[in-house]
Amino acid sequence: GAGIEKAIRRLAEKHETLIVKPEKESGGRKSLILPVRSKGRLIDKNIGALAGLVREISENDNAVIQEVLPSRVRQLFSAEFLESLVDRFARIGIPVLLDRDPLTPLYSYFRQILVLGGNGYVVSHNIAVVSTQGVANVGQGGLLYEYTDDIIDPKYRDDMRREISRGALQSMEYQTRYLEANWRKVLESYLKIHPEFAGRTRYRKMFSDLTGFPANGIPYEMGDFMPVFLVDEEDNLVRIFDPATERLLPLFDDRGRPTRAKIFDGAGREVPRTDADGRPLAVPYFDDRGGKRGLFDANGNPIPSLVVYKIEANPGAGLWRPHNDRLPPERKGEGVFTIFDCLGQRGRLYKDKLPV
């Protein structure tokens, strides 16, 4: 018990809000989100509550403890989408105040389903979920939309599309690397859960099947993603993402003073961070006409307005039906068809390799 609370305290020193949830449950069942730090001080009561839930969950499941990423629904989505959101929530009996106090809390995440076909990965479903609760399943207060570019504010539309696509594909690459490096541990863990296979299974180094598909390959996955803004609510750049360390680097410290992180304009000139009197300068991301100024990091990489984090990998068929229900009649079934079409393409590769 003391060890669990100590671990949560270590996390609380880095993150303001944490979530505890069971590994196998979905839709927020038996989960808890609490702030654990306020104005630099730890909140002992909340840390104790999270530790208690971890102990309770651990009696019959693995407990997951994660940093909570803040959603900025009002900033990310287009005005037209937000208005439609109010109407849809009203139809299920949930009143939502968009711009009047007290503002209704809004949360969102995105799901991309990737399936491996004969020529690489294909996205079968693009999904956005919006809820008034920190963790909510579709049907439990969460609304599902098809993720199309027009639901995103035009300022962030291109960055959102590019970053979620990059994140989805890169995550598959990183997950296969993890499986390769930890293949023995993964197999041993599986056999503990399914001891009926232990007598028939021997450890082998990483191998590929007849089609060249490796044992650590992932043919299908539903990834959940969240955008993390690099700009503040006024669209001033406040941090950058360092791909080498996979860390967010703040441009200003807790006192508002510029950090050592450097940013540059399109001509390669360093963007000033203080004025002539040494006072910190804001770094607007957009120009007066709303276009991107064009800001770059120290390695010459363009700085996006946001990056996308993968928050969870899922198996199964979650959200297939709700997604299909949102499609017009002429598109019904297209996502499911894409999945089985890709499986058929790979099946053909096996058929061609096997003797008749």
Side-chain angles (χ1 to χ4, degrees):
I4 294 172
E5 187 160 328
K6 186 177 180 180
I8 293 177
R9 284 184 174 276
R10 285 199 302 267
L11 287 171
E13 291 171 358
K14 299 178 182 178
H15 311 298
E16 291 189 356
T17 307
L18 296 177
I19 179 173
V20 168
K21 60 182 180 178
E23 180 186 29
K24 296 183 179 65
E25 288 285 355
S26 64
R29 287 180 284 272
K30 210 172 186 180
S31 64
L32 187 61
I33 298 175
L34 289 174
V36 288
R37 195 176 80 242
S38 177
K39 297 180 180 178
R41 301 185 65 178
L42 301 185
I43 305 174
D44 292 333
K45 179 181 177 182
N46 290 352
I47 291 173
L50 292 173
L53 181 58
V54 170
R55 288 191 289 271
E56 180 183 339
I57 292 171
S58 299
E59 292 178 0
N60 48 38
D61 196 356
N62 294 324
V64 179
I65 310 171
Q66 295 174 321
E67 172 195 4
V68 172
L69 300 177
S71 294
R72 291 202 211 159
V73 170
R74 291 170 175 82
Q75 184 173 359
L76 178 66
F77 291 96
S78 67
E80 294 80 9
F81 175 82
L82 292 173
E83 291 299 330
S84 74
L85 197 70
V86 174
D87 292 339
R88 277 194 65 194
F89 270 122
R91 286 189 220 123
I92 60 173
I94 300 177
V96 170
L97 295 178
L98 274 182
D99 48 19
R100 287 182 296 156
D101 290 331
L103 295 176
T104 305
L106 293 172
Y107 306 89
S108 68
Y109 72 91
F110 294 79
R111 173 169 290 182
Q112 276 203 346
I113 298 180
L114 289 179
V115 58
L116 185 64
N119 297 303
Y121 282 111
V122 177
V123 177
S124 65
H125 296 71
N126 283 289
I127 294 169
V129 176
V130 184
S131 173
T132 57
Q133 303 175 53
V135 182
N137 204 351
V138 173
Q140 293 180 318
L143 296 181
L144 181 145
Y145 288 84
E146 183 184 16
Y147 165 38
T148 52
D149 291 340
D150 61 288
I151 71 174
I152 305 297
D153 187 301
K155 291 189 295 185
Y156 314 117
R157 194 170 287 169
D158 291 343
D159 285 348
M160 181 65 198
R161 174 61 67 181
R162 182 183 61 254
E163 292 298 316
I164 196 171
S165 298
R166 181 181 63 82
L169 292 171
Q170 280 193 347
S171 71
M172 302 300 267
E173 177 186 343
Y174 295 153
Q175 285 168 220
T176 55
R177 285 188 200 171
Y178 174 86
L179 288 171
E180 183 171 10
N182 297 276
W183 182 239
R184 184 187 289 274
K185 291 180 180 178
V186 170
L187 182 60
E188 289 173 350
S189 175
Y190 178 83
L191 293 178
K192 284 181 181 179
I193 301 171
H194 299 283
E196 64 270 24
F197 297 118
R200 293 182 281 155
T201 305
R202 290 183 299 116
Y203 170 75
R204 291 176 57 188
K205 289 186 177 180
M206 193 56 58
F207 60 92
S208 297
D209 66 15
L210 285 172
T211 69
F213 186 68
N216 62 325
I218 302 172
Y220 167 91
E221 186 182 273
M222 305 184 299
D224 289 347
F225 300 87
M226 280 192 66
V228 176
F229 277 99
L230 303 183
V231 297
D232 62 16
E233 287 82 354
E234 284 74 43
D235 286 323
N236 293 312
L237 190 68
V238 292
R239 52 190 174 178
I240 59 176
F241 179 75
D242 179 14
T245 61
E246 297 183 353
R247 294 176 58 195
L248 293 171
L249 305 179
L251 297 185
F252 302 93
D253 63 20
D254 292 340
R255 298 183 182 180
R257 298 172 301 190
T259 62
R260 294 182 179 181
K262 296 182 183 296
I263 50 177
F264 301 85
D265 64 18
R269 297 182 295 258
E270 186 174 348
V271 175
R273 309 285 301 287
T274 57
D275 63 16
D277 297 320
R279 291 187 293 258
L281 287 173
V283 184
Y285 189 81
F286 300 101
D287 59 29
D288 294 338
R289 292 188 247 179
K292 290 184 180 181
R293 290 176 59 200
L295 300 173
F296 299 82
D297 64 19
N299 296 314
N301 299 311
I303 299 173
S305 57
L306 55 84
V307 292
V308 174
Y309 279 17
K310 185 171 189 175
I311 58 173
E312 194 168 65
N314 299 281
L319 304 187
W320 284 20
R321 182 179 294 276
H323 174 269
N324 194 65
D325 291 344
R326 297 295 300 167
L327 298 180
E330 67 275 11
R331 295 179 54 201
K332 294 293 185 185
E334 70 175 22
V336 178
F337 174 81
T338 299
I339 291 171
F340 284 97
D341 180 48
C342 288
L343 293 175
Q345 292 172 27
R346 293 194 59 231
R348 169 64 68 178
L349 296 177
Y350 287 105
K351 183 178 180 181
D352 292 344
K353 292 285 184 179
L354 292 170
V356 177

